[in-house]
Amino acid sequence: MRILVLGGDGFCGWPTSLHLADLGHEVVIVDNLSRRAIEHELEAYSLTPIAPLGTRLRVWHDLGGAPMRFERLDVAREYERLLALLERERPDAIVHFAEQRAAPYSMKSSRHKRYTVDNNLNATHNVLAAVVESGVDAHLAHLGTMGVYGYGTAGMKIPEGYLPVELVGEDGTRVRQEILYPANPGSIYHMTKTQDQLFFAYYAKNDGLRITDLHQGIVWGTNTPQTLRDERLINRFDYDGDYGTVLNRFLMQAAVGYPLTVHGSGGQTRAFIHIRDTVRCVQLALENPPERGERVRILNQMTETHRVRDLAEMVARSTGATVANVPNPRNEAAENDLEVANDLFIGLGLEPTTLDAGLLSEVTDVARRYAHRADLSKIPCTSTWTRRQAAGAPVGVEVSEPTPAPEPVRRTA
Ligand code: NAD
Ligand code: USQ
């Protein structure tokens, strides 16, 4: 297949591009390098010394990898160039990673909120509009998030995208339907992903586009077999308070002797997936596209769920690190249970990589090797969700209880 990987220089996009190229696909990376620009804005750099993209591509080629091409392009802003690219390349598939993906970054200020909304919604909509205008029959696989569902379970496993409901009409007629699972975003970033879903539903319905939305959990790990072939192919490793995600942060913190930063009581339960499974899932999704006219295919791309404090205890036990409960800068429930269905990927043949001591220590080893590059002042999460939290209000005070269901309306004869 000829595959465009939008956002192919990023944490998930780079190893995915390598994996797809290794399988014999023709890969064209499209990226505006905004993530590298944000590193400079935050003065917080990847712990691993990532090479410039030109070097990455040259080294890959020199090592015998199938050549990959690169188009530097802003998917959100350069619509005409994107359209011309699609018309020229006529890809069989497009993998869309090209969004601003950090929840804390999206909450830093109005500017960051507006940037995240502008960038993510325009990137997604431009891709869809360009596929239609170019007439290219490309399957679009988008990286969405588990966070579109919120993290509550309502006593059931979170299904894969759609919720079966039964509607009761005035005359008692019962109609069964499947609707998009109600969106419940916890940050501006997550909100953009819930809105992406509506773009997809519309374009699948109106234009018959073939779309897969992969609702991915928190990705951990750093390397894949391909990124390990040469240090200049190494993947990025974010540990800072905006872009670092929880498990990789804990493993890095343990490696540099920093107390593990558990937010509040650490009662949050989240879905996780190892980066090696991310690249396999994208492969499986591309090998199993929906038919034209089919509704958006939604798969939960995660392999296990864990509670944050359990992860911290596990890392502390295995490394001797200490745990520090720090005030939670986010507006999120203090405790949640989470059960998630992932039958579709299992049915496609995914053999889940789950947390094991070997993989955890592999990440800690990477972090130890590059510990000299760490700037410990970038570890604390300083982005707050609300003005009250910014002013130092106690944790959790703004988390509202779920609105009680209204009393049923009694009809009088
Ligand atoms: P990342 O920031 O490392 O990579 C995103 C890439 O997209 C970067 O290289 C960036 O330069 C590029 N990009 C952003 N906006 C662009 C634009 N307008 N035009 C062109 N390129 C643009 O993020 P990541 O961790 O690789 O995440 C990739 C995708 O996967 C995101 O959409 C994210 O929401 C999703 N995801 C990530 C995780 C995770 O834990 N990392 C979990 C679930 C879902
Ligand atoms: N947390 C801590 N301590 C830390 C960092 C985080 O306790 O030092 C807690 C947070 O409060 C939160 C949980 O860990 O409850 C997860 O935070 P995270 O930063 O690891 O993940 P999140 O902000 O949800 O975002 C990440 C990716 C995003 C992706 C999402 C998948 O950055 O792109 O969409 O994971 S999911 O969480 O399933 O929605």
Side-chain angles (χ1 to χ4, degrees):
M1 279 189 265
R2 179 175 295 168
I3 304 171
L4 297 191
V5 181
L6 314 180
D9 185 47
F11 170 61
C12 298
W14 173 241
T16 302
S17 300
L18 292 176
H19 180 70
L20 295 174
D22 221 18
L23 291 170
H25 297 299
E26 189 183 336
V27 172
V28 180
I29 290 179
V30 178
D31 204 298
N32 65 350
L33 307 184
S34 52
R35 179 66 190 93
R36 292 182 189 247
I38 290 173
E39 285 194 322
H40 294 302
E41 174 197 339
L42 300 174
E43 297 183 359
Y45 300 89
S46 167
L47 185 67
T48 47
I50 52 170
L53 184 53
T55 308
R56 284 177 153 184
L57 296 175
R58 183 174 47 73
V59 170
W60 173 248
H61 191 195
D62 290 349
L63 291 174
M68 291 189 280
R69 285 175 288 134
F70 168 49
E71 188 84 14
R72 183 168 181 171
L73 186 157
D74 188 327
V75 180
R77 293 180 175 201
E78 296 179 280
Y79 178 75
E80 297 302 333
R81 285 191 60 213
L82 176 65
L83 177 62
L85 180 72
L86 288 188
E87 286 170 341
R88 194 168 69 241
E89 299 290 348
R90 307 205 74 77
D92 303 294
I94 302 171
V95 187
H96 175 23
F97 292 105
E99 294 181 82
Q100 192 299 101
R101 71 97 175 137
Y105 183 84
S106 77
M107 302 301 289
K108 286 181 94 62
S109 71
S110 301
R111 180 174 74 75
H112 296 90
K113 291 177 183 174
R114 293 173 57 243
Y115 165 71
T116 303
V117 169
D118 285 351
N119 187 63
N120 294 4
L121 296 190
N122 282 313
T124 297
H125 187 257
N126 281 351
V127 175
L128 292 162
V131 171
V132 172
E133 189 173 351
S134 64
V136 165
D137 182 25
H139 167 213
L140 175 66
H142 169 254
L143 272 292
T145 176
M146 284 299 305
V148 297
Y149 305 118
Y151 307 101
T153 49
M156 60 187 270
K157 275 189 177 179
I158 292 187
E160 308 211 52
Y162 299 98
L163 181 69
V165 293
E166 190 175 77
L167 306 172
V168 185
E170 291 274 314
D171 60 355
T173 325
R174 292 172 178 269
V175 181
R176 284 170 189 246
Q177 277 190 15
E178 286 206 312
I179 57 169
L180 271 179
Y181 193 91
N184 186 11
S187 72
I188 293 292
Y189 153 72
H190 287 99
M191 190 187 64
T192 65
K193 296 284 183 176
T194 69
Q195 302 208 18
D196 282 347
Q197 292 193 107
L198 296 180
F199 287 144
F200 297 139
Y202 178 76
Y203 275 91
K205 179 187 73 169
N206 194 63
D207 299 282
L209 296 196
R210 296 181 295 130
I211 302 170
T212 300
D213 202 2
L214 302 170
H215 288 184
Q216 186 169 235
I218 300 172
V219 183
W220 68 284
T222 182
N223 282 311
T224 59
Q226 290 80 24
T227 66
L228 284 170
R229 285 188 198 164
D230 188 290
E231 198 189 23
R232 290 163 295 174
L233 299 178
I234 203 165
N235 199 13
R236 59 176 309 118
F237 189 129
D238 296 309
Y239 67 92
D240 62 283
D242 288 313
Y243 275 86
T245 51
V246 65
L247 181 52
N248 275 5
R249 270 167 66 77
F250 288 169
L251 293 166
M252 177 276 179
Q253 291 165 356
V256 300
Y258 196 99
L260 311 185
T261 53
V262 172
H263 290 168
S265 61
Q268 279 287 320
T269 308
R270 294 294 174 102
F272 290 84
I273 182 167
H274 193 276
I275 186 72
R276 290 182 193 174
D277 282 353
T278 292
V279 307
R280 289 197 201 112
C281 284
V282 173
Q283 172 197 344
L284 289 170
L286 294 183
E287 288 170 354
N288 296 278
E291 298 291 329
R292 193 166 259 279
E294 200 178 313
R295 72 179 179 184
V296 177
R297 186 170 291 182
I298 301 177
L299 293 90
N300 290 340
Q301 186 163 312
M302 50 69 71
T303 54
E304 55 194 325
T305 59
H306 293 283
R307 203 176 285 278
V308 167
R309 63 170 165 263
D310 296 339
L311 290 177
E313 278 163 23
M314 189 176 60
V315 173
R317 255 196 323 274
S318 64
T319 61
T322 54
V323 174
N325 291 88
V326 300
N328 194 342
R330 305 188 184 203
N331 189 1
E332 58 186 3
E335 302 272 332
N336 75 288
D337 292 319
L338 183 63
E339 281 192 68
V340 181
N342 66 349
D343 309 85
L344 293 177
F345 268 126
I346 301 298
L348 293 178
L350 178 71
E351 290 169 16
T353 306
T354 45
L355 285 193
D356 85 28
L359 284 169
L360 291 168
S361 59
E362 190 183 303
V363 180
T364 317
D365 289 347
V366 171
R368 277 204 196 101
R369 194 170 329 135
Y370 298 107
H372 59 280
R373 289 172 49 88
D375 177 350
L376 303 193
S377 74
K378 298 295 176 187
I379 290 182
C381 293
T382 53
S383 175
T384 47
W385 259 232
T386 64
R387 293 174 71 166
R388 290 186 59 184
Q389 285 167 304
V395 188
V397 287
E398 297 232 344
V399 179
S400 46
E401 291 299 316
T403 315
E407 288 294 311
V409 180
R410 287 182 197 286
R411 290 179 192 275
T412 45

